Amino acid sequence: MPESLIRNSVESKSRVEHIALKRFGPLLEKADVQINGSRPWDPQINNSDFFRRVLLHGSLGLGDSYVDGWWECQQVDELVNRILRLPSNKSKRFTIDLLSRLRATLFNLQKESRAVQVGKQHYDVGNELYQGMLDQRMVYTCGYWARSDNLDDAQQDKLDLVCKKIFLKPGMRVLDIGCGWGSFAKFAAENYGAKVVGVTISREQVKLGMEMCKGLPVDLRFQDYRKINEKFDAVISLGMFEHVGHKNYRTYMNVAHNCLHEEGLFLLHTIGKNSSLPGVDPWVGKYIFPNGELPSLKLIAKAAESCFLIEDVHNFGPDYDRTLMSWHDNFKRYFLPRITGPAEQRFYRMWSYYLQVCAGAFRARDLQLWQVVLSKGMPHEAYRRPE
């Protein structure tokens, strides 16, 4: 390459870096983050094209450049936490871009014909991975750490909390919308004598889940929630509402309402966000949870209107930070020895980034975890007022 072209290329990169630092420098300074600094949350830039990529593509460019090894950070989770905690919240302009909002507004990205996409791309990635990453019960939702100091106990306490909130009793028939590998179904059947029907859009989850629940009154099905038409004493949904989408919230509530006996309770356990704007983080939507969308409490309440009475709302979002970091520790121990080439290295960086970014968002309280208990408004022993 001629010397003049090399010089022009270097100068161009230098200008882009200058523009990027001028734009983001004050933000990073307020967050106590320094490019190529010495603290574990300071990002180390390995490729000067990183700045152009982030300027052009925002969150997507940031995540892609990490997976490509263009930057490193010992504690991505803390970097994200520090940026999202800024009072100005200007950093959040990257969390949901305009294109994502438009797509979510104009199209039903979670219609029945598209629902199985997340099952194939995320949940069917391999049961061995999840067995290595999750707790012994394979619970892929937030643990409850109020009385626990390890992941196994936190997940058991969460499952028990759900059973207590729906006042589960022997012989009750429960519907689990988005049942995963049947962790709740197995726990409820073994510890409360319940009969559980679970539905999921992952064939791998059904296959392994039925093996785990062998001999118990548990029926796990590969089925879209919109196809359920049976009656149950209680309905629960742990970590599935994030895949429903705002255009389908009312349909989802109608299904739960139609499946629930008049005096039954419906427990909705979901990640949520503080804004009701549609859309999802572009990087997470592309690589981790296609067609995902997080609800706000406002949208949950609106979907439940004239359908359910909201009896209780419990937020333990900070517990998801600890859960995600426990998953990240398990993931590293499981996957690092299995890296044999570039493909495995990219997958490792992608999932490590996903787990840490989400942990940082919960630590900053940018994301929430709600358990919402709903009823049909009929008198229930848990919520009946003294006469």
Side-chain angles (χ1 to χ4, degrees):
M1 181 182 293
E3 183 178 341
S4 61
L5 290 180
I6 295 175
R7 184 171 60 253
N8 290 338
S9 176
V10 171
E11 290 175 354
S12 176
K13 289 182 179 180
S14 179
R15 285 195 297 270
V16 170
E17 183 175 348
H18 175 75
I19 293 171
L21 292 177
K22 184 176 180 180
R23 181 174 177 180
F24 302 122
L27 173 73
L28 297 176
E29 185 177 352
K30 289 180 181 178
D32 191 24
V33 173
Q34 183 179 349
I35 299 293
N36 297 325
S38 60
R39 285 84 55 85
W41 59 82
D42 288 332
Q44 311 298 311
I45 309 305
N46 300 326
N47 189 321
S48 58
D49 285 332
F50 161 83
F51 298 100
R52 182 187 298 274
R53 199 168 186 179
V54 174
L55 279 174
L56 290 175
H57 302 294
S59 171
L60 188 60
L62 185 67
D64 282 348
S65 60
Y66 182 84
V67 175
D68 288 340
W70 287 18
W71 64 281
E72 303 285 348
C73 184
Q74 294 180 43
Q75 294 180 357
V76 174
D77 53 301
E78 184 58 19
L79 169 64
V80 170
N81 170 47
R82 286 173 174 269
I83 293 176
L84 290 180
R85 278 173 52 195
L86 292 175
S88 65
N89 291 327
K90 290 181 180 178
S91 59
K92 297 181 187 179
R93 76 179 101 189
F94 289 118
T95 57
I96 302 177
D97 66 6
L98 180 59
L99 180 59
S100 177
R101 289 175 183 169
L102 285 174
R103 290 180 69 243
T105 300
L106 296 175
F107 305 103
N108 185 352
L109 301 176
Q110 301 83 13
K111 60 184 179 181
E112 191 172 340
S113 61
R114 297 173 62 97
V116 295
Q117 184 179 350
V118 69
K120 293 178 180 178
Q121 182 173 329
H122 189 82
Y123 297 106
D124 288 347
V125 72
N127 286 328
E128 297 83 3
L129 169 66
Y130 291 107
Q131 287 173 313
M133 185 179 84
L134 304 178
D135 65 299
Q136 62 182 357
R137 295 180 181 275
M138 294 188 71
V139 184
Y140 196 20
T141 52
C142 181
Y144 186 57
W145 295 83
R147 299 177 301 167
S148 306
D149 60 4
N150 64 84
L151 182 62
D152 286 337
D153 289 347
Q155 293 294 14
Q156 179 171 300
D157 285 352
K158 189 271 298 298
L159 296 176
D160 196 51
L161 180 69
V162 172
C163 293
K164 285 181 167 62
K165 284 185 176 181
I166 61 173
F167 292 83
L168 195 57
K169 296 178 181 177
M172 285 178 61
R173 192 165 183 256
V174 183
L175 171 64
D176 183 353
I177 304 176
C179 61
W181 293 271
S183 55
F184 169 82
K186 188 173 189 293
F187 181 86
E190 289 178 336
N191 294 277
Y192 284 84
K195 304 173 183 178
V196 185
V197 171
V199 297
T200 174
I201 40 77
S202 167
R203 295 187 184 278
E204 289 297 314
Q205 287 183 334
V206 170
K207 181 180 178 182
L208 180 58
M210 285 306 296
E211 292 178 10
M212 294 170 62
C213 296
K214 188 175 182 180
L216 296 170
V218 171
D219 179 15
L220 305 184
R221 307 171 184 172
F222 178 77
Q223 183 178 16
D224 188 275
Y225 70 92
R226 283 160 282 215
K227 296 295 186 181
I228 310 168
N229 187 24
E230 302 171 47
K231 288 293 185 182
F232 297 87
D233 300 303
V235 177
I236 67 113
S237 184
L238 309 181
M240 183 272 181
F241 199 63
E242 300 89 334
H243 303 302
V244 172
H246 72 278
K247 289 184 178 293
N248 306 294
Y249 288 164
R250 184 63 180 184
T251 298
Y252 180 91
M253 289 293 181
N254 284 335
V255 168
H257 183 272
N258 293 337
C259 289
L260 187 63
H261 284 306
E262 291 304 309
E263 295 189 7
L265 292 173
F266 169 36
L267 185 141
L268 176 64
H269 171 117
T270 181
I271 299 172
K273 60 187 179 184
N274 302 320
S275 165
S276 296
L277 289 173
V280 68
D281 176 88
W283 189 88
V284 172
K286 182 175 181 179
Y287 297 106
I288 306 299
F289 295 115
N291 308 320
E293 186 176 347
L294 301 181
S296 66
L297 272 179
K298 176 183 176 180
L299 292 177
I300 293 174
K302 183 178 180 181
E305 277 185 14
S306 71
C307 195
F308 283 113
L309 170 66
I310 297 178
E311 299 281 6
D312 184 65
V313 179
H314 181 189
N315 185 347
F316 52 98
D319 287 25
Y320 226 142
D321 175 12
R322 196 167 179 182
T323 302
L324 282 155
M325 293 310 295
S326 295
W327 290 344
H328 187 253
D329 289 343
N330 290 344
F331 173 70
K332 286 194 298 183
R333 280 193 294 269
Y334 169 79
F335 203 81
L336 275 175
R338 291 167 171 78
I339 296 177
T340 58
E344 291 87 356
Q345 180 66 28
R346 286 184 61 82
F347 183 86
Y348 172 78
R349 291 183 68 87
M350 180 177 71
W351 270 65
S352 176
Y353 183 77
Y354 143 60
L355 293 169
Q356 290 185 83
V357 165
C358 291
F362 279 103
R363 194 176 308 161
R365 303 311 304 275
D366 190 53
L367 295 179
Q368 313 300 330
L369 188 286
W370 297 308
Q371 282 192 351
V372 184
V373 180
L374 306 103
S375 75
K376 290 188 171 183
M378 299 295 289
H380 190 279
E381 61 181 282
Y383 303 101
R384 185 181 293 126
R385 297 293 180 264
E387 301 191 8

